[in-house]
């Protein structure tokens, strides 16, 4: 996957995640009354992107991306009339979100593949470690679903899990005995199975920075392990080694009309990203590239194009029951300052495979906001049933006994601190803060629009200056905004703190009366973010000036995740109010 030649081995050897003992993360539950544990109610997230206002969907159309926000590296498979899609989750917990659709445009969340601590050991890793590039495949020979991925945590490395029902429980991970990243399974018509993946060249044969290879192994389905000694390199460098192609990765094998096709990403996950295709007469090659490569990219287009979509690549194909093809892939929607706050998202295009090679329809032209729906598909707008895209409003009063799948923790399970109740969401504070590379008591929702509002009503009286609860806008531990309530002396304060490259600065603070609950709200218009608070949600006060969302952008904070909006609580607060506004 993403420019990891220098760090792959380091992450695998160093970040052997160990279980964070709950007692060390939690605050002392006996130290305060109920007011000192925050209660969050009426969370509202409202997307307001102008591009969707300018381009409303009409009958027979649907929006892309199909999954907005940080849902990168998509992989898709089909069983009968049902499609299943997964995406990378890095240090998020639970991991590997999984979606189901019967028409490719209306998607339901059906949970997460990795939702147990025995499967996901991301307790002390950087945000962009953890789970990389999951691949989901249905094996018709044994009626099982497989998800293979790389977990940079817990000593796993490459691993596979299985399930007979993708909406049910998946197995504990089976560690696979090979190096490299981005593994994908392929089940041939004769029942044989193979694993393809990205790897480094043999030691001493590296030709340049970013030189990678694609390998293939026989896969023993009975024992769920690669067959030792069966590995071989099937692509060296990329389409044309003489041009020094970089970061050949994310391989997938397909079979059509007796021939085998190998599709890979090339160019790295940034502005040079692309998708390329090869063909051969055997799963192990030799593979020859198509004359027209890449088959998907935005890198050659004008930089100043309107409603720009960029970084397209890392794709996977699926055949419909009617013999048509579609491809899912990642891309980004940068804001007016080229910031990538919504992260890498899941897009989809039809694929024309009437010729020898597949080609993404419109994949080399500027990507549109909306497309014609697949045959027989009708775009749904029912918030309760579907995972919406375009401009939408999501509201949660937290009165259900189980959290919605869109809510995630970081590095640890949500259930250890987030407690839905008939009154709302109680977040029991840990002593850790979001500055730390540990599980935190923060419930996160992905930022899914460049223009949005997110608000919540908080019932809370901090007991001391060590207590804080509120909203956060978060990229990773060293890049975020905290907008919360705390105490100093006998007074209560609302504070706004900016952290960039680990350096924290209090931007503004104000005394507040907490005899009644307070609405906290963040609004973003592209790169411009502003924070508001008040007892009357119709007449909110701003805290501080408009601030830049630069630190929430993937290209500034680095890494592979998008911005998150969090409901946050800690008993280890170190933010002190400055001069009150």
């Amino acid at each position: 996957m993403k420019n990891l030649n220098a760090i792959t081995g380091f992450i695998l050897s160093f970040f052997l995640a160990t279980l964070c003992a709950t007692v060390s993360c939690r605050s002392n539950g006996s130290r305060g009354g109920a007011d000192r544990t925050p209660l969050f109610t009426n969370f509202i997230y409202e997307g307001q992107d102008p591009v969707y206002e300018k381009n409303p969907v009409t009958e027979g159309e649907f929006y892309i991306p199909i999954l907005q926000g940080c849902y990168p590296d998509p992989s898709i498979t089909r069983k009968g009339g049902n499609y299943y899609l997964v995406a990378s989750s890095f240090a998020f917990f639970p991991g590997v979100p999984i979606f189901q659709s019967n028409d490719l445009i209306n998607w339901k969340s059906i949970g997460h593949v990795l939702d147990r601590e025995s499967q996901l050991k991301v307790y002390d890793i950087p945000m962009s470690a953890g789970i990389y590039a999951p691949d989901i495949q249905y094996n018709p020979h044994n009626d099982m679903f497989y998800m293979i991925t790389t977990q940079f945590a817990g000593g796993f490395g490459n691993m596979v899990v299985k399930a007979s029902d993708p909406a049910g429980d998946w197995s504990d991970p089976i560690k696979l005995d090979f190096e490299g990243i981005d593994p994908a399974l392929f089940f041939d018509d004769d029942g044989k199975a193979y694993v393809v993946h990205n790897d480094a060249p043999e030691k001493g044969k590296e030709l340049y920075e970013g030189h990678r290879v694609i390998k293939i192994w026989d896969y023993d389905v009975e024992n769920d392990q690669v067959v030792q000694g069966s590995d071989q390199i099937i692509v060296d460098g990329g389409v044309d080694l003489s041009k020094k192609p970089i970061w050949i990765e994310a391989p997938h094998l397909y079979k059509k009309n007796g021939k085998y096709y190998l599709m890979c990403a090339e160019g790295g996950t940034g502005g040079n990203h692309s998708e390329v295709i090869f063909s051969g007469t055997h799963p192990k090659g030799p593979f020859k590239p198509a004359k027209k490569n890449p088959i998907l990219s935005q890198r050659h287009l004008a930089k100043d194009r309107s409603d720009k979509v960029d970084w397209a690549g890392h794709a996977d194909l699926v055949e419909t029951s009617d013999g048509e093809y579609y491809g899912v892939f990642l891309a980004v929607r940068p804001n007016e300052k080229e910031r990538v706050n919504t992260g890498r998202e899941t897009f989809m295009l039809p694929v024309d495979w009437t010729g020898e090679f597949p080609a993404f329809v419109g994949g080399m032209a500027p990507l549109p906001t909306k497309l014609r729906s697949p045959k027989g598909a009708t775009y749904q707008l029912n918030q309760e049933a579907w995972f919406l895209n375009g401009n939408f409003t999501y509201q949660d009063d937290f009165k259900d006994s189980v959290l919605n799948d869109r809510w995630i923790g970081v590095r640890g399970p949500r259930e250890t601190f987030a407690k839905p109740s008939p009154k709302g969401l109680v977040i029991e504070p840990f002593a850790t803060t979001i500055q730390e590379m540990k599980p935190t008591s923060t419930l996160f929702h992905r930022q899914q629009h460049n223009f949005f509002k997110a608000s919540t009503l908080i019932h809370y009286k901090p007991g001391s200056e060590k207590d804080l609860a509120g909203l956060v806008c978060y990229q990773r531990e060293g890049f975020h905004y905290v907008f919360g309530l705390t105490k100093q002396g006998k007074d209560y304060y609302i504070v706004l703190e900016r952290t960039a490259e680990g350096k924290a600065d209090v931007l503004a603070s104000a005394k507040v009366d907490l005899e009644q609950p307070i609405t906290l709200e963040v609004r973003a218009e592209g790169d411009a973010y502003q924070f508001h608070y008040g007892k009357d949600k119709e007449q909110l006060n701003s805290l501080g000036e408009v601030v830049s969302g630069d630190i929430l952008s993937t290209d500034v904070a680095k890494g592979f995740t998008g911005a998150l909006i969090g409901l946050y609580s800690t008993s280890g607060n170190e933010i002190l109010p400055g001069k009150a506004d």
Side-chain angles (χ1 to χ4, degrees), residues 34-48:
D35 285 348
R36 297 176 66 175
T37 301
L39 176 71
F40 294 87
T41 60
N42 199 33
F43 175 85
I44 303 174
Y45 175 91
E46 183 179 353
Q48 302 171 326

Side-chain angles (χ1 to χ4, degrees), residues 1-3 72-74 133 182 246-251 264-276 293-301 303 305 309-316 328-332 344-345 347 363-364 367 560:
M1 218 177 68
K2 322 299 170 225
N3 299 12
D73 311 325
D182 291 10
I246 60 172
W247 307 114
I248 191 76
E249 56 195 10
C264 305
E266 190 181 277
T269 196
N272 202 44
H273 210 193
S274 70
E275 198 72 15
V276 296
N293 266 316
I295 58 173
L296 168 70
S297 186
Q298 300 286 282
R299 65 190 180 193
H300 56 291
L301 301 172
K303 301 301 181 184
R305 61 192 184 275
V309 177
D310 213 352
W311 299 12
H314 199 118
D316 194 9
V328 293
F329 57 95
L330 73 80
V332 299
R344 298 171 306 143
E345 305 173 298
F347 286 70
M364 298 297 290
L367 290 174
F560 310 129

Side-chain angles (χ1 to χ4, degrees), residues 302-333:
K303 301 301 181 184
D304 60 350
R305 61 192 184 275
S306 61
D307 300 327
K308 180 162 69 172
V309 177
D310 213 352
W311 299 12
H314 199 118
D316 194 9
L317 305 181
V318 67
E319 183 182 8
T320 71
S321 57
D322 295 328
E324 296 180 339
Y325 284 85
Y326 282 81
V328 293
F329 57 95
L330 73 80
V332 299
R333 295 176 297 137

Side-chain angles (χ1 to χ4, degrees), residues 358-380:
F360 286 81
V361 178
M364 298 297 290
L367 290 174
T369 301
K370 58 184 183 177
L371 295 170
R372 298 298 303 173
S373 300
K375 183 172 58 177
T378 301
Y379 199 44
Q380 304 292 324

